[in-house]
Amino acid sequence: MKRSILQSASDFPIFNGNEPYIYLDNAATTQKPQLVLDSLIDYYSHCNANVYRAIHRWGEESTRRYEDARQTVASFIGAASRDEIIFTSGCTDSINLAATVFCRRFIKPGDEIILTEMEHHSNLVPWQIQGDIGGAVLKFIPVKEDGELDLEVLETLWTPRTKLLALTHMSNVLGTVNPAKKIIAMAHERGVKVLVDAAQSVPHMKVDVGELDCDFLAFSGHKMCGPTGTGVLYGKKELLEDLPPYRGGGEMIRSVYLDHSEWNSLPYKFEAGTPHIAGAIGLAAAIRYLESWGMEKIEEQEKVLTKRLIEGLDSLKEYTLFGRARERGGIAAFTRKGTHSHDLTQYLDSQGFALRAGHHCAHPLARKLNALSTTRASVYFYNTLEEIDSLLETLAIAGDFVL
Ligand code: PLP
């Protein structure tokens, strides 16, 4: 019998304990279904061994599972080849990798990199650091009042010195889903490469790198039911081949001499040292789990939840919601008049709701919004309308308790 996505929470042991708790902090990290936990236990119980060059059966099995995981990721995001999938420790690690090797290879003093004002620090600070080393100038696409990017200003930012544009696919504060495909096409017309920070999109919607035509795409495993410490950097093969390695160590080399080394082929050139083998296997299990529901269905369910959440917040006059983009995902950052967001969020915890408060690692955006701290609710497909209603009811009477 086909199961309903409305009952998906029953797959997650953390929701089946004695303590009723409504988890709405999914943009920070998501919960793990039993079968992801099982995949980790199974790996460690049956074939734990280091990958590659093993002349024993556990090593061979471990390598097989790790490489199968790479293929699972490649198919999930529509990569042309598994060589384009680099396992990392998370989206932050992926962007640091891309920024370091891209700037080392292509950035000369005075070259320009375009970012947006809504970036998570993970897609800003690595470009500041590497741009500084290479002498790059950073430029920013402004965020408009409604939370959408000002593409008219973008038209004025391009110059012959523009080398790369990096943008978030979905804002982790405003929920805005940016028109990545359109922006990538604009960049490519000018010979500019594009990195997409997909930390908040890949877990929630069908993302196909072939269709987007992005040059790099970065995301984290733990935001999509996978283990912490896992992530992916996708890069177009010809671009990755043209880039220098990131970290030095075992497996990223073909031959090593005392005075120099030769690099391994893709994707190993970018995976120095023992990787997070179990993590990659767990991430593949998470992907299979998401695919068992279907990304279209997941997106659809989240749209229903988001609509109720946004309409509900709009009906509460003490609350201000940040972000009014036409295309948006399941993230709502808001403030309550006269109440600090930490107090409100702590109160919500006492009432059985996990939300997040603060600048959400997007300091420049928080400054621009004139809201240094907001409370953020973020949904995943396992949340229910009843949970959203319950949050809204609690928010409606929050003032009586907080002030
Ligand atoms: N980019 C965005 C848009 C995010 O929301 C996050 C995390 O919240 C990151 C990057 C960084 O992800 P991680 O901390 O998993 O590396």
Side-chain angles (χ1 to χ4, degrees):
M1 204 182 73
K2 223 167 154 36
R3 288 188 326 127
S4 160
I5 199 164
L6 300 176
Q7 269 96 49
S8 53
S10 63
D11 295 337
F12 294 73
I14 202 162
F15 297 134
N16 299 324
N18 294 327
E19 189 194 16
Y21 198 50
I22 296 177
Y23 186 75
L24 290 165
D25 193 18
N26 294 288
T29 198
T30 56
Q31 299 305 337
K32 321 300 174 200
Q34 185 64 50
L35 60 77
V36 167
L37 307 181
D38 289 346
S39 76
L40 302 177
I41 293 171
D42 187 70
Y43 166 74
Y44 283 122
S45 310
H46 292 109
C47 62
N48 175 50
N50 213 329
V51 285
Y52 312 125
R53 297 175 316 282
I55 318 287
H56 59 73
R57 67 192 74 169
W58 289 352
E60 280 170 10
E61 178 61 10
S62 177
T63 305
R64 188 188 66 73
R65 291 190 192 194
Y66 184 65
E67 289 305 324
D68 277 359
R70 198 189 302 278
Q71 184 56 54
T72 302
V73 173
S75 307
F76 182 62
I77 60 166
S81 157
R82 50 178 287 290
D83 295 349
E84 300 181 316
I85 303 300
I86 302 159
F87 281 123
T88 65
S89 68
C91 187
T92 303
D93 193 29
S94 301
I95 298 172
N96 274 279
L97 191 172
T100 305
V101 299
F102 186 89
C103 290
R104 201 182 296 154
R105 171 76 179 82
F106 291 115
I107 294 295
K108 306 270 177 307
D111 283 345
E112 295 167 6
I113 295 171
I114 299 178
L115 306 169
T116 85
E117 283 180 344
M118 64 167 76
E119 296 313 308
H120 187 282
H121 297 159
S122 293
N123 198 29
L124 169 58
V125 182
W127 300 107
Q128 289 176 342
I129 294 172
Q130 296 306 324
D132 194 39
I133 293 169
V137 176
L138 304 186
K139 292 176 154 185
F140 295 90
I141 311 174
V143 177
K144 294 186 294 182
E145 195 104 312
D146 59 7
E148 295 189 2
L149 291 176
D150 194 333
L151 298 189
E152 279 177 25
V153 174
L154 172 59
E155 293 288 2
T156 68
L157 297 181
W158 310 107
T159 76
R161 305 288 319 249
T162 312
K163 289 288 168 356
L164 181 127
L165 183 151
L167 87 162
T168 187
H169 201 176
M170 173 166 142
S171 164
N172 67 312
V173 179
L174 304 168
T176 310
V177 176
N178 287 318
K181 191 174 169 175
K182 179 175 169 183
I183 293 172
I184 291 164
M186 289 165 84
H188 285 174
E189 270 171 31
R190 295 157 173 92
V192 175
K193 304 280 187 226
V194 181
L195 177 140
V196 176
D197 172 352
Q200 299 296 347
S201 62
V202 164
H204 303 280
M205 60 180 84
K206 182 76 197 143
V207 174
D208 186 297
V209 290
E211 201 195 319
L212 279 179
D213 197 27
C214 52
D215 300 285
F216 294 111
L217 182 111
F219 58 96
S220 292
H222 69 95
K223 293 187 197 287
M224 50 190 286
C225 297
T228 51
T230 63
V232 172
L233 177 68
Y234 156 85
K236 279 186 180 161
K237 196 168 176 176
E238 58 281 16
L239 175 58
L240 292 178
E241 268 165 356
D242 200 18
L243 291 169
Y246 179 41
R247 298 190 181 112
E251 210 48 54
M252 49 76 70
I253 42 73
R254 177 159 293 133
S255 315
V256 177
Y257 304 87
L258 284 179
D259 58 350
H260 76 283
S261 299
E262 290 161 9
W263 315 133
N264 204 343
S265 55
L266 293 176
Y268 315 108
K269 180 169 84 171
F270 294 107
E271 290 184 6
T274 301
H276 188 359
I277 307 164
I281 292 166
L283 172 56
I287 289 174
R288 286 193 294 276
Y289 177 73
L290 296 179
E291 285 181 322
S292 75
W293 293 116
M295 292 312 292
E296 288 78 12
K297 205 182 227 174
I298 285 172
E299 189 180 352
E300 207 178 288
Q301 165 68 357
E302 290 182 22
K303 278 205 156 75
V304 173
L305 297 170
T306 307
K307 186 166 181 286
R308 181 74 67 95
L309 179 60
I310 302 297
E311 284 174 0
L313 282 167
D314 276 346
S315 71
L316 299 174
K317 66 174 181 0
E318 305 88 352
Y319 291 85
T320 305
L321 172 73
F322 295 88
R324 299 276 169 194
R326 284 158 294 178
E327 289 294 321
R328 65 169 308 139
I331 288 175
F334 55 88
T335 50
R336 185 183 187 283
K337 206 171 167 204
T339 309
H340 194 282
S341 67
H342 282 109
D343 293 336
L344 177 66
T345 311
Q346 202 153 32
Y347 166 69
L348 290 171
D349 172 67
S350 75
Q351 299 302 301
F353 300 90
L355 279 78
R356 187 155 290 259
H359 54 63
H360 314 297
C361 294
H363 241 141
L365 178 64
R367 268 190 224 103
K368 169 138 189 173
L369 297 173
N370 208 12
L372 278 181
S373 186
T374 55
T375 297
R376 181 184 72 182
S378 52
V379 306
Y380 211 15
F381 61 94
Y382 45 60
N383 291 122
T384 62
L385 281 174
E386 291 70 34
E387 290 178 333
I388 302 294
D389 288 344
S390 175
L391 172 70
L392 293 167
E393 280 159 24
T394 308
L395 287 174
I397 55 165
D400 301 341
F401 298 89
V402 176
L403 294 175

